Amino acid sequence: MDVTVKKNLMKTACKVRMGVIEGTFNAKSGHPGGSLSISDLLTYLYFAKLNVDPKNPEFEDRDRFVLSKGHTAPALYSVLAQRGFFPEEELKSLRHIDALLQGHPCIHIPGVDMSSGSLGQGISAACGMALSGKLSSKDYKVYTVLGDGEIEEGQVWEAAMFAAHYGLDNLVAIVDNNGLQIDGKITEVCSPEPITDKFAAFGWHVITMDAHDFDDIERAFDEAEKISGKPVAIIQKSVKGKGVSFMENQVSWHGTAPNKEQYDTAMAELSQQLKELED
């Protein structure tokens, strides 16, 4: 990846993380941990991959994105704001009554293609979008992000079987493998491992990547572009709470909002990271 492009993506991802902290702090609720672990991925998708247009969010030939793990909406909202779908100021009203941005993605929000939050349902909707594209001879791609705890849901594997059966090679599912879910480590709650072997057994082409290395992210998506005849699953190894030292790898930050002191500390850390990238 070009050095300048990579640095710009890193700076944007840092701003996306700041938006996550801003939103959850002002909401006094929300899910910062898993939002931070997908911030690099969403930054890459919306700034280097997806064919989308903030001025025309619903144009017919756009690529589709479904956040199957809908509780990490703070990250999606933050990246959509950075991309220009709506003002960044909206992030401060996250989860407030009558606000644009509620706790889970809703299709009335510019840039959101599917309401989501009931775990397992997002990938099913993505399958429907991908099949529609096939039947309509459209060139758009469909991307969906799942949590590693989410894939304990049986509906995920029904969708996986469906996607392979219909040869949905216009579908890319990314599993955010940060190893933690609301009740603890995924290996202790109800282990979905081996994740790569499971998707392969269901007929998917499987790729692994480092969720926080833009060179590796680009490598993975370049490989995905070359696959024909079957859906692609990208298993990204990530760090829950990535970017905020006291949140990293801490299950307690799955669904806890920062207080004022924690907000100030997190924003100071991220501001310092951004400053170092801009120097």
Side-chain angles (χ1 to χ4, degrees), residues 98-166:
D98 295 329
L100 174 66
L101 307 178
Q102 290 303 311
H104 291 81
C106 259
I107 56 173
H108 71 272
I109 300 169
V112 174
D113 290 313
M114 182 64 197
S115 300
S116 61
S118 295
L119 297 179
Q121 292 186 2
I123 186 174
S124 298
C127 285
M129 294 176 182
L131 181 60
S132 176
K134 285 284 190 183
L135 295 174
S136 303
S137 299
K138 295 290 186 179
D139 292 329
Y140 67 74
K141 302 275 281 190
V142 182
Y143 300 85
T144 183
V145 174
L146 302 95
D148 51 7
E150 178 184 6
I151 64 173
E152 294 163 13
E153 295 279 355
Q155 183 171 345
V156 169
W157 300 104
E158 292 181 52
M161 179 170 56
F162 177 95
H165 176 78
Y166 287 98

Coordinates of all heavy atoms in Angstrom, one line a residue, residues 98-166:
D98 N -35.5 10.8 19.9 CA -35.7 11.6 18.7 C -34.5 11.9 17.9 O -34.5 12.7 16.9 CB -36.5 12.8 18.9 CG -37.9 12.5 19.4 OD1 -38.5 11.5 19.0 OD2 -38.5 13.3 20.2
A99 N -33.3 11.4 18.3 CA -32.1 11.7 17.6 C -32.0 10.8 16.3 O -32.6 9.8 16.2 CB -30.9 11.5 18.5
L100 N -31.2 11.2 15.4 CA -31.0 10.5 14.2 C -30.3 9.1 14.5 O -30.7 8.1 13.9 CB -30.1 11.2 13.2 CG -29.7 10.5 11.9 CD1 -30.9 10.3 11.0 CD2 -28.6 11.3 11.1
L101 N -29.3 9.1 15.3 CA -28.5 7.9 15.6 C -29.0 7.2 16.8 O -28.8 7.6 18.0 CB -27.1 8.3 15.7 CG -26.5 9.1 14.5 CD1 -25.0 9.5 14.8 CD2 -26.7 8.4 13.2
Q102 N -29.6 6.0 16.6 CA -30.0 5.2 17.8 C -29.1 4.1 18.1 O -28.0 4.0 17.4 CB -31.5 4.7 17.5 CG -32.5 5.8 17.5 CD -32.5 6.6 18.9 OE1 -32.5 6.0 19.9 NE2 -32.5 7.9 18.8
G103 N -29.4 3.3 19.0 CA -28.4 2.3 19.5 C -28.0 1.2 18.5 O -26.9 0.6 18.7
H104 N -28.8 1.0 17.5 CA -28.5 0.0 16.5 C -28.8 0.6 15.1 O -29.7 1.5 15.1 CB -29.3 -1.3 16.7 CG -28.9 -2.1 17.9 ND1 -29.4 -1.8 19.1 CD2 -28.1 -3.2 18.0 CE1 -28.9 -2.7 20.0 NE2 -28.1 -3.5 19.3
P105 N -28.1 0.2 14.1 CA -28.3 0.8 12.8 C -29.8 0.7 12.3 O -30.4 -0.3 12.5 CB -27.4 0.0 11.8 CG -26.4 -0.6 12.8 CD -27.1 -0.9 14.1
C106 N -30.2 1.8 11.7 CA -31.6 1.9 11.1 C -31.5 2.4 9.7 O -30.7 3.3 9.4 CB -32.5 2.8 12.0 SG -33.5 2.0 13.1
I107 N -32.4 1.9 8.8 CA -32.3 2.2 7.4 C -32.7 3.6 7.1 O -32.4 4.1 6.0 CB -33.0 1.2 6.5 CG1 -34.5 1.2 7.0 CG2 -32.4 -0.1 6.5 CD1 -35.4 0.3 6.0
H108 N -33.2 4.4 8.1 CA -33.6 5.8 7.8 C -32.3 6.6 7.9 O -32.4 7.8 7.5 CB -34.7 6.3 8.8 CG -34.2 6.5 10.2 ND1 -34.2 5.4 11.1 CD2 -33.6 7.5 10.8 CE1 -33.7 5.9 12.2 NE2 -33.3 7.1 12.1
I109 N -31.2 6.1 8.4 CA -30.0 6.9 8.5 C -29.2 6.8 7.2 O -29.0 5.8 6.6 CB -29.1 6.3 9.6 CG1 -29.8 6.3 11.0 CG2 -27.8 7.0 9.7 CD1 -29.1 5.5 12.1
P110 N -28.8 8.0 6.7 CA -28.1 8.0 5.4 C -26.8 7.1 5.5 O -26.1 7.2 6.4 CB -27.7 9.5 5.3 CG -28.7 10.2 6.1 CD -29.1 9.4 7.2
G111 N -26.7 6.2 4.5 CA -25.6 5.3 4.4 C -25.8 4.0 5.0 O -25.0 3.1 4.9
V112 N -26.9 3.8 5.8 CA -27.2 2.5 6.4 C -28.1 1.7 5.4 O -29.2 2.2 5.1 CB -27.9 2.7 7.8 CG1 -28.3 1.3 8.3 CG2 -26.9 3.3 8.7
D113 N -27.7 0.5 5.0 CA -28.4 -0.3 4.1 C -29.4 -1.3 4.7 O -30.2 -1.8 4.1 CB -27.4 -1.1 3.2 CG -26.7 -0.2 2.2 OD1 -27.3 0.7 1.6 OD2 -25.5 -0.3 2.1
M114 N -29.2 -1.5 6.0 CA -30.0 -2.5 6.7 C -30.1 -2.3 8.2 O -29.1 -2.1 8.8 CB -29.5 -4.0 6.5 CG -30.3 -5.1 7.0 SD -32.0 -5.1 6.3 CE -32.9 -6.1 7.5
S115 N -31.3 -2.2 8.7 CA -31.5 -2.2 10.2 C -30.9 -3.5 10.8 O -31.2 -4.6 10.2 CB -32.9 -2.0 10.6 OG -33.4 -0.8 10.0
S116 N -30.2 -3.4 11.8 CA -29.6 -4.7 12.4 C -29.4 -4.6 13.9 O -29.6 -3.5 14.5 CB -28.3 -5.0 11.7 OG -27.3 -3.9 11.9
G117 N -29.1 -5.7 14.5 CA -28.9 -5.7 15.9 C -29.3 -7.1 16.5 O -28.7 -7.6 17.5
S118 N -30.3 -7.7 16.0 CA -30.6 -9.1 16.4 C -29.6 -10.0 15.8 O -29.5 -10.2 14.6 CB -32.0 -9.5 15.9 OG -33.0 -8.7 16.5
L119 N -28.7 -10.5 16.6 CA -27.5 -11.2 16.2 C -27.9 -12.4 15.3 O -28.8 -13.2 15.6 CB -26.7 -11.7 17.4 CG -26.2 -10.5 18.2 CD1 -25.4 -11.1 19.4 CD2 -25.3 -9.6 17.4
G120 N -27.2 -12.5 14.2 CA -27.4 -13.6 13.2 C -28.2 -13.2 12.0 O -28.2 -13.8 10.9
Q121 N -29.0 -12.1 12.2 CA -29.9 -11.7 11.1 C -29.3 -10.9 10.0 O -29.7 -10.9 8.9 CB -31.1 -11.0 11.7 CG -32.0 -11.8 12.5 CD -33.3 -11.1 13.0 OE1 -33.5 -10.0 12.6 NE2 -34.1 -11.8 13.7
G122 N -28.2 -10.2 10.4 CA -27.6 -9.3 9.4 C -27.0 -10.0 8.2 O -27.1 -9.6 7.1
I123 N -26.3 -11.2 8.5 CA -25.7 -11.9 7.4 C -26.8 -12.5 6.5 O -26.6 -12.7 5.3 CB -24.7 -13.0 8.0 CG1 -24.0 -13.7 6.8 CG2 -25.4 -14.0 8.8 CD1 -22.9 -14.7 7.2
S124 N -27.9 -12.8 7.1 CA -29.0 -13.4 6.3 C -29.5 -12.3 5.3 O -29.8 -12.6 4.2 CB -30.2 -13.8 7.2 OG -29.7 -14.9 8.0
A125 N -29.7 -11.1 5.8 CA -30.1 -10.0 5.0 C -29.0 -9.7 3.9 O -29.4 -9.5 2.7 CB -30.3 -8.7 5.8
A126 N -27.8 -9.8 4.2 CA -26.7 -9.6 3.3 C -26.8 -10.7 2.2 O -26.5 -10.4 1.0 CB -25.3 -9.7 3.9
C127 N -27.1 -11.9 2.5 CA -27.3 -13.0 1.6 C -28.4 -12.6 0.6 O -28.3 -12.9 -0.6 CB -27.6 -14.3 2.2 SG -26.2 -15.1 3.1
G128 N -29.5 -12.1 1.1 CA -30.6 -11.7 0.2 C -30.2 -10.6 -0.7 O -30.5 -10.6 -1.9
M129 N -29.4 -9.6 -0.3 CA -28.9 -8.6 -1.1 C -28.0 -9.1 -2.2 O -28.1 -8.7 -3.4 CB -28.2 -7.5 -0.3 CG -29.0 -6.7 0.7 SD -28.0 -5.6 1.7 CE -29.2 -4.9 2.8
A130 N -27.1 -10.0 -1.8 CA -26.2 -10.6 -2.8 C -27.0 -11.4 -3.8 O -26.6 -11.4 -5.0 CB -25.2 -11.5 -2.1
L131 N -27.9 -12.2 -3.4 CA -28.7 -13.0 -4.4 C -29.5 -12.1 -5.3 O -29.6 -12.4 -6.5 CB -29.7 -13.9 -3.6 CG -30.5 -14.8 -4.5 CD1 -29.7 -15.8 -5.4 CD2 -31.5 -15.7 -3.7
S132 N -30.0 -11.0 -4.8 CA -30.8 -10.1 -5.6 C -29.8 -9.5 -6.7 O -30.2 -9.3 -7.8 CB -31.3 -8.9 -4.8 OG -31.9 -7.9 -5.6
G133 N -28.6 -9.2 -6.3 CA -27.6 -8.7 -7.2 C -27.3 -9.7 -8.4 O -27.2 -9.3 -9.5
K134 N -27.2 -10.9 -8.0 CA -27.0 -12.0 -9.0 C -28.2 -12.1 -9.9 O -28.0 -12.1 -11.2 CB -26.8 -13.3 -8.3 CG -25.5 -13.5 -7.6 CD -24.4 -13.8 -8.6 CE -23.1 -14.2 -7.9 NZ -22.0 -14.5 -8.9
L135 N -29.4 -12.1 -9.4 CA -30.6 -12.3 -10.2 C -30.8 -11.1 -11.1 O -31.4 -11.2 -12.2 CB -31.8 -12.5 -9.3 CG -31.8 -13.8 -8.5 CD1 -33.0 -13.8 -7.6 CD2 -31.8 -15.0 -9.4
S136 N -30.3 -9.9 -10.7 CA -30.5 -8.7 -11.5 C -29.3 -8.4 -12.3 O -29.3 -7.3 -13.0 CB -30.8 -7.5 -10.5 OG -31.9 -7.8 -9.7
S137 N -28.3 -9.2 -12.3 CA -27.1 -9.0 -13.1 C -26.4 -7.7 -12.8 O -25.9 -7.0 -13.7 CB -27.4 -9.1 -14.6 OG -27.9 -10.4 -15.0
K138 N -26.4 -7.4 -11.5 CA -25.7 -6.2 -11.0 C -24.3 -6.5 -10.6 O -24.0 -7.7 -10.2 CB -26.5 -5.6 -9.8 CG -27.9 -5.1 -10.2 CD -27.8 -3.9 -11.0 CE -29.2 -3.3 -11.2 NZ -29.1 -2.1 -12.1
D139 N -23.4 -5.5 -10.6 CA -22.0 -5.7 -10.3 C -21.7 -5.4 -8.9 O -20.5 -5.5 -8.5 CB -21.1 -4.9 -11.3 CG -21.2 -5.4 -12.7 OD1 -21.4 -6.7 -12.9 OD2 -21.0 -4.6 -13.6
Y140 N -22.6 -4.9 -8.1 CA -22.3 -4.5 -6.8 C -21.9 -5.6 -5.9 O -22.3 -6.8 -6.1 CB -23.4 -3.7 -6.1 CG -24.7 -4.4 -5.8 CD1 -24.8 -5.3 -4.8 CD2 -25.9 -4.2 -6.6 CE1 -26.0 -6.0 -4.5 CE2 -27.0 -4.9 -6.3 CZ -27.1 -5.8 -5.2 OH -28.3 -6.4 -5.0
K141 N -21.1 -5.3 -4.8 CA -20.7 -6.3 -3.9 C -21.4 -6.0 -2.5 O -21.8 -4.9 -2.3 CB -19.2 -6.2 -3.6 CG -18.3 -6.4 -4.8 CD -18.0 -7.9 -5.1 CE -17.0 -8.4 -4.2 NZ -16.5 -9.8 -4.7
V142 N -21.5 -7.1 -1.7 CA -22.2 -7.0 -0.4 C -21.2 -7.4 0.6 O -20.6 -8.4 0.5 CB -23.4 -7.8 -0.3 CG1 -24.1 -7.6 1.0 CG2 -24.4 -7.5 -1.5
Y143 N -21.0 -6.5 1.6 CA -20.1 -6.8 2.7 C -20.9 -6.8 4.0 O -21.7 -6.0 4.2 CB -19.0 -5.7 2.8 CG -18.1 -5.6 1.5 CD1 -18.5 -4.9 0.5 CD2 -16.9 -6.3 1.4 CE1 -17.8 -4.8 -0.7 CE2 -16.2 -6.2 0.3 CZ -16.6 -5.5 -0.8 OH -15.8 -5.4 -1.9
T144 N -20.5 -7.7 4.9 CA -21.2 -7.8 6.2 C -20.1 -8.1 7.3 O -19.2 -8.9 7.0 CB -22.3 -8.8 6.2 OG1 -23.0 -8.8 7.5 CG2 -21.8 -10.2 5.9
V145 N -20.3 -7.5 8.5 CA -19.4 -7.7 9.6 C -20.1 -8.4 10.7 O -21.2 -8.0 11.1 CB -18.7 -6.4 10.1 CG1 -17.9 -6.7 11.3 CG2 -17.9 -5.8 9.0
L146 N -19.5 -9.5 11.2 CA -20.1 -10.3 12.3 C -19.1 -10.3 13.4 O -17.9 -10.2 13.3 CB -20.4 -11.8 11.8 CG -21.3 -12.0 10.7 CD1 -20.5 -12.2 9.4 CD2 -22.2 -13.2 10.9
G147 N -19.7 -10.5 14.6 CA -18.8 -10.7 15.8 C -18.5 -12.2 16.0 O -19.3 -13.1 15.5
D148 N -17.4 -12.5 16.6 CA -17.1 -13.9 16.8 C -18.0 -14.5 17.9 O -18.2 -15.8 17.8 CB -15.6 -14.1 17.2 CG -15.1 -13.2 18.3 OD1 -16.0 -12.5 19.0 OD2 -13.9 -13.2 18.6
G149 N -18.6 -13.8 18.8 CA -19.6 -14.3 19.6 C -20.9 -14.5 18.9 O -21.7 -15.4 19.2
E150 N -21.2 -13.6 17.9 CA -22.4 -13.7 17.1 C -22.5 -15.0 16.4 O -23.6 -15.5 16.2 CB -22.5 -12.5 16.2 CG -23.7 -12.5 15.3 CD -23.7 -11.4 14.2 OE1 -22.7 -10.7 14.1 OE2 -24.7 -11.3 13.5
I151 N -21.3 -15.5 15.9 CA -21.4 -16.7 15.1 C -21.7 -18.0 15.9 O -21.8 -19.1 15.4 CB -20.1 -16.9 14.2 CG1 -18.9 -17.1 15.1 CG2 -19.9 -15.7 13.3 CD1 -17.7 -17.5 14.3
E152 N -22.0 -17.8 17.2 CA -22.5 -18.9 18.0 C -24.0 -19.1 17.7 O -24.6 -20.1 18.0 CB -22.4 -18.6 19.5 CG -20.9 -18.6 19.9 CD -20.7 -17.9 21.3 OE1 -21.7 -17.7 22.0 OE2 -19.5 -17.6 21.6
E153 N -24.6 -18.1 17.0 CA -26.0 -18.2 16.6 C -26.2 -19.2 15.4 O -25.5 -19.1 14.4 CB -26.5 -16.8 16.1 CG -26.5 -15.7 17.2 CD -27.8 -15.8 18.1 OE1 -28.7 -16.7 17.8 OE2 -27.9 -15.1 19.1
G154 N -27.2 -20.0 15.5 CA -27.4 -21.0 14.5 C -27.8 -20.4 13.1 O -27.5 -20.9 12.1
Q155 N -28.5 -19.3 13.2 CA -28.9 -18.6 11.9 C -27.7 -18.2 11.0 O -27.9 -18.2 9.8 CB -29.8 -17.4 12.2 CG -30.3 -16.7 11.0 CD -31.3 -15.6 11.3 OE1 -31.8 -15.5 12.5 NE2 -31.6 -14.7 10.4
V156 N -26.6 -17.9 11.7 CA -25.4 -17.6 10.9 C -25.0 -18.7 10.0 O -24.7 -18.5 8.8 CB -24.2 -17.3 11.8 CG1 -22.9 -17.2 11.0 CG2 -24.5 -16.0 12.6
W157 N -25.1 -20.0 10.5 CA -24.7 -21.1 9.7 C -25.8 -21.5 8.7 O -25.4 -22.1 7.6 CB -24.3 -22.2 10.6 CG -23.2 -21.8 11.5 CD1 -23.3 -21.4 12.8 CD2 -21.9 -21.5 11.1 NE1 -22.1 -20.9 13.3 CE2 -21.2 -20.9 12.2 CE3 -21.2 -21.6 9.9 CZ2 -19.9 -20.6 12.2 CZ3 -19.8 -21.3 9.9 CH2 -19.2 -20.7 11.0
E158 N -27.0 -21.2 8.9 CA -28.0 -21.4 7.8 C -27.7 -20.4 6.7 O -27.8 -20.8 5.5 CB -29.4 -21.1 8.4 CG -29.9 -22.1 9.4 CD -31.3 -21.8 9.9 OE1 -32.2 -21.6 9.0 OE2 -31.5 -21.7 11.1
A159 N -27.4 -19.2 7.0 CA -27.0 -18.2 6.0 C -25.7 -18.6 5.3 O -25.6 -18.5 4.1 CB -26.8 -16.8 6.6
A160 N -24.8 -19.2 6.0 CA -23.5 -19.6 5.4 C -23.8 -20.7 4.4 O -23.2 -20.8 3.3 CB -22.5 -20.1 6.5
M161 N -24.7 -21.7 4.8 CA -25.0 -22.8 3.9 C -25.7 -22.2 2.6 O -25.5 -22.6 1.5 CB -25.9 -23.7 4.6 CG -26.4 -24.9 3.8 SD -27.2 -26.2 4.8 CE -28.5 -25.2 5.6
F162 N -26.6 -21.3 2.8 CA -27.4 -20.6 1.7 C -26.4 -19.9 0.7 O -26.5 -20.1 -0.5 CB -28.4 -19.6 2.3 CG -29.2 -18.8 1.3 CD1 -30.4 -19.2 1.0 CD2 -28.7 -17.6 0.8 CE1 -31.2 -18.5 0.0 CE2 -29.4 -16.9 -0.2 CZ -30.7 -17.3 -0.5
A163 N -25.5 -19.2 1.3 CA -24.6 -18.4 0.4 C -23.7 -19.3 -0.4 O -23.5 -19.0 -1.6 CB -23.7 -17.5 1.3
A164 N -23.3 -20.4 0.1 CA -22.4 -21.3 -0.6 C -23.3 -22.0 -1.7 O -22.8 -22.2 -2.8 CB -21.8 -22.3 0.3
H165 N -24.5 -22.4 -1.3 CA -25.4 -23.2 -2.2 C -25.7 -22.3 -3.5 O -25.7 -22.9 -4.6 CB -26.7 -23.5 -1.5 CG -27.7 -24.2 -2.4 ND1 -27.6 -25.5 -2.8 CD2 -28.8 -23.7 -3.1 CE1 -28.6 -25.8 -3.6 NE2 -29.3 -24.7 -3.8
Y166 N -25.9 -21.0 -3.3 CA -26.2 -20.2 -4.4 C -25.0 -19.5 -5.0 O -25.1 -18.6 -5.9 CB -27.2 -19.1 -4.0 CG -28.6 -19.7 -3.8 CD1 -29.1 -20.1 -2.6 CD2 -29.4 -20.0 -4.9 CE1 -30.3 -20.7 -2.4 CE2 -30.7 -20.6 -4.8 CZ -31.1 -21.0 -3.5 OH -32.3 -21.6 -3.4

